[in-house]
Amino acid sequence: MAKTLKRTAAFAALGRALMAGARGGPGLGKRLAALPRMIRATAGGEYDGGMRLAMMTAATIYVVSPLDFVPEAFLAIFGLVDDVVAVTWLAGAVLAETERFLEWEARRKAVIPGTVLS
């Protein structure tokens, strides 16, 4: 999955993550605890999440920035829609990427360096 996360994948991951507790998937705490490890592994070149992390960082900056492409003061409720979409996408993207990272981390722990399995 070398391409960046698509909106639908991010929204689907958000829905799955919200239901994960009932189905035994990784909980929100485990996913959030994986974020620093994911950032370190990406910065160290071990994990291929660079572009996805860059997009999540850009979305975070957009959400917390005082500048807004669609200002609420002029457009009332419609000005909030872009912020809601950005926050929803960001939440879904973080959940999807941390799930992907946790799976990568589990597979990596199962590999014994220098051993070939047939």
Side-chain angles (χ1 to χ4, degrees):
M1 190 168 162
K3 295 183 178 183
T4 59
L5 291 174
K6 303 257 190 254
R7 281 187 202 138
T8 54
F11 293 137
L14 177 60
R16 281 193 314 271
L18 292 175
M19 301 303 284
R23 291 184 283 153
L28 186 59
K30 186 173 183 178
R31 291 170 188 262
L32 293 177
L35 273 173
R37 294 192 316 271
M38 182 174 70
I39 292 168
R40 277 193 303 273
T42 301
E46 300 171 48
Y47 183 66
D48 68 344
M51 181 56 77
R52 289 176 292 278
L53 281 176
M55 293 198 52
M56 288 186 276
T57 301
T60 302
I61 290 169
Y62 178 77
V63 169
V64 300
S65 172
L67 301 176
D68 202 351
F69 290 119
V70 184
E72 289 82 12
F74 300 115
L75 299 173
I77 193 73
F78 296 110
L80 294 174
V81 171
D82 67 322
D83 294 330
V84 169
V85 168
V87 167
T88 305
W89 179 86
L90 179 60
V94 167
L95 293 172
E97 192 59 26
T98 53
E99 182 174 350
R100 182 175 174 265
F101 174 76
L102 289 169
E103 290 170 0
W104 172 83
E105 203 173 41
R107 281 192 315 269
R108 188 168 184 228
K109 288 179 183 175
V111 173
I112 302 169
T115 304
V116 177
L117 300 174
S118 55

